[in-house]
Amino acid sequence: MPRLLARQAVDLPCSPTNTRCRLQLKITQEMDGQEEGLGSAHAALAAAYQALGQTEQATAELEKFLAIAESTNNLTAQGEACSNLGVIYNRQGDFTKAVKYFERAYELMRTLISSGEGTRKMVDSARVNLGMARGNS
């Protein structure tokens, strides 16, 4: 059966002597659910880039993750992507974009909880993020 391989290497500092390591992220999915597997790869890359402080690359990976989540109608993944994008924009001081993404995450979490799939904690977290971004703008 065909497999989808999503790979991207990210250089990470490994020791104080400036030796570099390569982090190779690989997600393999069977034919069913390929898109969600690729979305997970983009989310993992975004987290790695965020850890390295490379927010531009992290944002690009999160946008790809969001697009895939939208195409597969995965509301939980959409909420995760929007929340993470909101955090990045909030840290950068772009509060208008932060509010936009946090509002969307909040609405997605409310939709999930009304369908019985989400938790109160998810909604509360989205509400707090949205409130902080609005307070900053």
Side-chain angles (χ1 to χ4, degrees):
M1 180 171 267
R3 291 177 174 253
L4 171 72
L5 297 176
R7 294 181 187 197
Q8 187 162 349
V10 178
D11 287 326
L12 297 172
C14 291
S15 73
T17 60
N18 292 328
T19 304
R20 310 239 357 130
C21 291
R22 271 185 107 53
L23 170 66
Q24 182 98 20
L25 298 176
K26 180 175 83 171
I27 303 279
T28 304
Q29 289 287 324
E30 297 297 327
M31 276 302 266
D32 295 331
Q34 281 186 21
E35 295 83 10
E36 288 188 9
L38 185 57
S40 295
H42 288 298
L45 285 167
Y49 282 128
Q50 280 183 286
L52 293 169
Q54 298 177 6
T55 55
E56 188 174 309
Q57 293 91 336
T59 301
E61 293 299 331
L62 285 170
E63 291 288 353
K64 293 173 190 174
F65 176 40
L66 179 58
I68 291 169
E70 290 170 343
S71 73
T72 59
N73 202 32
N74 184 333
L75 300 183
T76 303
Q78 288 178 50
E80 179 183 339
C82 287
S83 181
N84 287 333
L85 284 163
V87 167
I88 288 174
Y89 288 120
N90 196 52
R91 286 184 183 154
Q92 291 177 337
D94 190 342
F95 303 118
T96 302
K97 282 187 181 178
V99 168
K100 172 187 147 187
Y101 282 107
F102 284 141
E103 281 177 342
R104 187 156 172 217
Y106 177 65
E107 291 305 319
L108 288 162
M109 294 306 116
R110 288 184 58 199
T111 300
L112 283 168
I113 203 165
S114 67
S115 69
E117 295 179 37
T119 65
R120 196 81 206 143
K121 183 177 179 179
M122 292 166 62
V123 173
D124 290 344
S125 177
R127 183 183 307 123
V128 167
N129 286 337
L130 177 57
M132 287 190 303
R134 281 183 176 161
N136 289 328
S137 62

